[in-house]
Amino acid sequence: MTQVETKPQIENFEPTILVFACNWCSYAGADLAGVSRLKYPSNVRIVRVMCSGRVDPAFVMKAFLKGADGVMVAGCHPGDCHYLEGNLRAKERIDKMVEAMQVLGFKVERFRLEWISASEGKRFAQIMTEFTEKIRSLGPLKP
Amino acid sequence: MVMSESPIQYDVEIKTDDLKTMLQACYQCSSCTSVCPVRRYSKFNPRKIIHKYLYDYGVSEDDLTSCLTCGLCLEVCPHQIDFPEFIRLKREQQGVNEDLFAHHNIFNIMQVFMNEITDSGMKFEYEGKLNPESSVAYFPGCIDLYDKFLDLKETSFHEIGQSAINVMNKIGVNPNLLSLKCCGHDAYWTGDMDAYEQVREFNTQVIKDSGISTLVVSCAECYYSFMDLYNLEGVDIQHISHFVEENKDKLDFNAEATTLTYHDPCRLGRFMNEYESPRKVLEATGASIKEISLNKQFSKCCGVSAWLKCDDVSRSIMLRKLEDATRAVGEEGTLTVACSKCYAHLNCVLEDKKPQHDFKIKVKELGMIVDERSSPK
């Protein structure tokens, strides 16, 4: 991940949003959104991971440090995981990370964990739009 | 007799620098290598590292990151060559690859996160009587974050802070729970001076503004940093063992007699020369101490320092430590540590039960033992 060099202006602030999407559900959901020609903001950068359980808290923290204004982890619905319980482990780990962020005094609205399945292209576009608007209203992370 | 000149003309020009001046007195006696805990299980060789550095062969990354900076080599060196300091300065010059940190480097990322993004101290939630205007303050350290990021099911780090606060309440002191950032020890010892300076400035400011006269800490690393690295004039820094030792008349110890063993953390023992205070506290609680064969200034390190490189060597060192403790105190005994880091590392290896080892020994923190075995007067 390279540092974002240009600092965004607050007036026309375009948030940088990083999404860790699981290969089997959420990434397929994003594909479906694309194939169905649904619109969602171009602020979203997707990183494909094989399972949401692959996402370590360190990746999320580092994404914030390297210039992301919002981070989302998207995986299969509980019970649908391709690897049986990867998403449940992700949830366990990420819940603890959110608690740690609160210890540090960080606004946890900038982070979200969502379950999006392969057939929910419409929902993917909807969540991304909603999350981008939310981050846009919060403003840049590093002024 | 005229000595003939060597037929070979050596064309070696050795440049000097500050680090070399530091190591100049080394006469390669190899005392450091013979005591080094890492040397027991790998080819890491402090004597050779010094030799290579003096003759411009450089220091490999593996050597630079394997050192535990535990200071045992300094203890036995006839010329008091500060090898840990050399490693620290070299890390500062050369930088440390962040892939070599354990747990995906999460604890260093946390530290940078505190500096760059949140810019406020850690917010703790502890029960007990707290008084924000008290002249005695307590700082638990980064233990609350270990609870979140280390996958230990049976070990609670929150308990360290909670029991320290309980003990202080029993003594009759309602401490001011200070909201500081991490003490910066790990950043300092891995050569990340920017991060270290930032937390140091922030913490010094908060401590000065709070107007406290005594700061009690649980962790040996916090104690070492606040005492040795920071410049906190007018504030008395106390490890929890000092605080209990001073106030032990105000506590009632009525638990039944037991046998314990005690592990000297390198930051409290060799770095700060504090061997007696924790032992006195443990004896005051009615416990008799059975010493590990290598104790006090010759105590071996717990295996990892500054979250750097937790590998098979570290694991072997930890297992050896538990073995030694078992030999001293028996299978079902308790090993007391006075440092949250030692507590984390030793419990981590205890919980990771593999067929190769089945230790029944318990590892507990000093404050937890005092809390268990005392009641208010």
Side-chain angles (χ1 to χ4, degrees):
Chain A
M1 278 180 268
T2 50
Q3 191 88 39
V4 177
E5 280 169 11
T6 48
K7 292 277 177 200
Q9 297 290 308
I10 297 176
E11 302 89 65
N12 47 1
F13 165 59
E14 285 297 331
T16 314
I17 288 168
L18 194 71
V19 177
F20 292 99
C22 109
N23 180 42
W24 305 100
C25 296
S26 309
Y27 196 79
D31 253 2
L32 184 64
V35 171
S36 335
R37 304 194 176 189
L38 296 171
K39 265 190 187 172
Y40 67 88
S42 58
N43 306 58
V44 177
R45 273 84 160 162
I46 298 181
V47 175
R48 180 167 65 167
V49 286
M50 286 310 279
C51 176
S52 50
R54 174 68 184 91
V55 181
D56 194 276
F59 301 172
V60 178
M61 309 298 280
K62 206 166 171 182
F64 280 121
L65 280 179
K66 297 284 182 186
D69 296 301
V71 178
M72 183 188 282
V73 176
C76 311
H77 286 274
D80 286 355
C81 180
H82 191 79
Y83 308 101
L84 305 180
E85 52 181 20
N87 52 358
L88 301 179
R89 291 184 184 200
K91 183 161 171 35
E92 194 184 321
R93 205 173 297 147
I94 274 164
D95 282 352
K96 281 186 177 175
M97 185 200 72
V98 169
E99 284 169 24
M101 280 174 157
Q102 280 162 345
V103 171
L104 297 181
F106 181 75
K107 270 189 191 159
V108 283
E109 297 109 63
R110 288 184 184 274
F111 173 77
R112 207 184 271 189
L113 177 68
E114 285 286 351
W115 307 134
I116 302 167
S117 83
S119 59
E120 294 174 331
K122 201 174 168 191
R123 186 155 169 265
F124 183 89
Q126 212 176 25
I127 286 175
M128 290 308 151
T129 318
E130 193 191 311
F131 190 52
T132 311
E133 287 315 311
K134 174 87 186 163
I135 301 297
R136 203 191 294 277
S137 68
L138 285 174
L141 180 59
K142 286 191 226 175
Chain B
M1 198 179 84
V2 179
M3 293 260 281
S4 61
E5 276 187 14
S6 165
I8 308 161
Q9 292 293 311
Y10 291 103
D11 188 19
V12 187
E13 197 187 328
I14 306 282
K15 291 184 197 120
T16 54
D17 59 31
D18 291 349
L19 288 181
K20 280 183 185 163
T21 324
M22 231 170 95
L23 303 176
Q24 213 78 66
C26 175
Y27 56 71
Q28 300 282 307
C29 69
S30 209
S31 300
C32 43
T33 306
S34 64
V35 293
C36 180
V38 187
R39 175 65 184 178
R40 269 178 176 174
Y41 304 102
S42 75
K43 288 192 170 174
F44 180 79
N45 188 339
R47 178 196 62 77
K48 204 168 174 184
I49 292 170
I50 293 177
H51 180 83
K52 274 164 132 181
Y53 188 73
L54 284 175
Y55 291 94
D56 276 347
Y57 288 100
V59 184
S60 73
E61 191 178 44
D62 195 39
D63 287 343
L64 203 60
T65 49
S66 291
C67 180
L68 297 169
T69 62
C70 69
L72 192 51
C73 41
L74 177 59
E75 202 64 44
V76 295
C77 180
H79 277 161
Q80 276 86 44
I81 292 167
D82 201 344
F83 186 73
E85 182 67 10
F86 161 71
I87 289 287
R88 191 189 73 76
L89 289 168
K90 195 68 195 146
R91 281 177 186 169
E92 198 182 318
Q93 277 180 11
Q94 214 163 303
V96 178
N97 182 357
E98 59 181 53
D99 293 343
L100 293 173
F101 286 93
H103 304 281
H104 292 264
N105 197 13
I106 184 80
F107 295 103
N108 284 21
I109 291 177
M110 273 296 159
Q111 188 150 30
V112 183
F113 203 81
M114 267 183 247
N115 282 334
E116 289 190 5
I117 293 183
T118 58
D119 210 41
S120 65
M122 288 184 266
K123 293 171 181 59
F124 305 106
E125 280 176 16
Y126 285 103
E127 289 163 14
K129 286 176 233 157
L130 300 170
N131 174 13
E133 269 138 42
S134 167
S135 64
V136 182
Y138 175 68
F139 176 57
C142 39
I143 46 176
D144 275 8
L145 300 176
Y146 300 177
D147 264 332
K148 313 292 181 216
F149 290 121
L150 301 180
D151 202 12
L152 300 181
K153 300 275 184 301
E154 295 153 29
T155 314
S156 162
F157 293 95
H158 190 77
E159 214 181 314
I160 298 178
Q162 190 58 60
S163 48
I165 290 174
N166 288 351
V167 169
M168 291 173 90
N169 282 167
K170 280 179 195 170
I171 288 171
V173 175
N174 298 345
N176 175 4
L177 195 58
L178 273 193
S179 173
L180 301 178
K181 284 182 186 176
C182 157
C183 65
H185 170 277
D186 294 354
Y188 181 78
W189 278 99
T190 48
D192 188 354
M193 292 313 270
D194 289 345
Y196 164 69
E197 285 297 335
Q198 272 176 316
V199 286
R200 193 179 65 95
E201 266 170 37
F202 180 89
N203 287 346
T204 313
Q205 198 57 44
V206 171
I207 292 172
K208 280 197 175 142
D209 289 348
S210 64
I212 52 166
S213 60
T214 311
L215 175 60
V216 183
V217 289
S218 275
C219 178
E221 289 184 351
C222 292
Y223 177 67
Y224 158 72
S225 324
F226 290 144
M227 218 38 192
D228 234 33
L229 307 179
Y230 286 38
N231 187 13
L232 295 170
E233 275 174 26
V235 183
D236 184 20
I237 313 290
Q238 289 188 329
H239 187 255
I240 185 80
S241 61
H242 299 131
F243 187 77
V244 178
E245 197 198 352
E246 262 179 30
N247 298 297
K248 66 184 170 197
D249 307 334
K250 293 176 190 164
L251 283 172
D252 215 3
F253 299 107
N254 43 17
E256 53 189 75
T258 181
T259 326
L260 303 166
T261 182
Y262 174 71
H263 160 63
D264 286 283
C266 44
R267 263 54 182 170
L268 190 64
R270 280 188 289 274
F271 279 47
M272 300 310 295
N273 273 319
E274 191 50 75
Y275 303 108
E276 291 312 320
S277 183
R279 287 184 166 78
K280 277 182 193 159
V281 168
L282 287 176
E283 272 165 10
T285 63
S288 55
I289 301 173
K290 289 210 168 162
E291 295 287 354
I292 298 178
S293 55
L294 285 168
N295 64 352
K296 299 196 176 172
Q297 59 266 49
F298 301 113
S299 160
K300 300 272 181 189
C301 172
C302 63
V304 182
S305 100
W307 303 108
L308 195 57
K309 224 182 180 184
C310 181
D311 54 9
D312 52 338
V313 177
S314 322
R315 192 101 321 192
S316 311
I317 298 172
M318 291 173 203
L319 287 174
R320 178 69 176 257
K321 187 91 234 173
L322 291 173
E323 241 169 63
D324 286 350
T326 312
R327 209 169 292 141
V329 80
E331 286 241 313
E332 308 265 317
T334 307
L335 170 63
T336 319
V337 292
C339 174
S340 337
K341 287 279 181 69
C342 300
Y343 179 78
H345 302 318
L346 293 174
N347 269 310
C348 174
V349 75
L350 266 184
E351 284 201 17
D352 180 27
K353 287 204 173 62
K354 292 273 163 66
Q356 295 95 312
H357 70 83
D358 187 22
F359 289 109
K360 292 191 188 82
I361 194 166
K362 287 192 190 73
V363 179
K364 282 187 182 167
E365 209 261 345
L366 189 107
M368 288 158 74
I369 300 257
V370 177
D371 185 29
E372 269 173 28
R373 302 176 61 78
S374 68
S375 54
K377 230 171 197 173

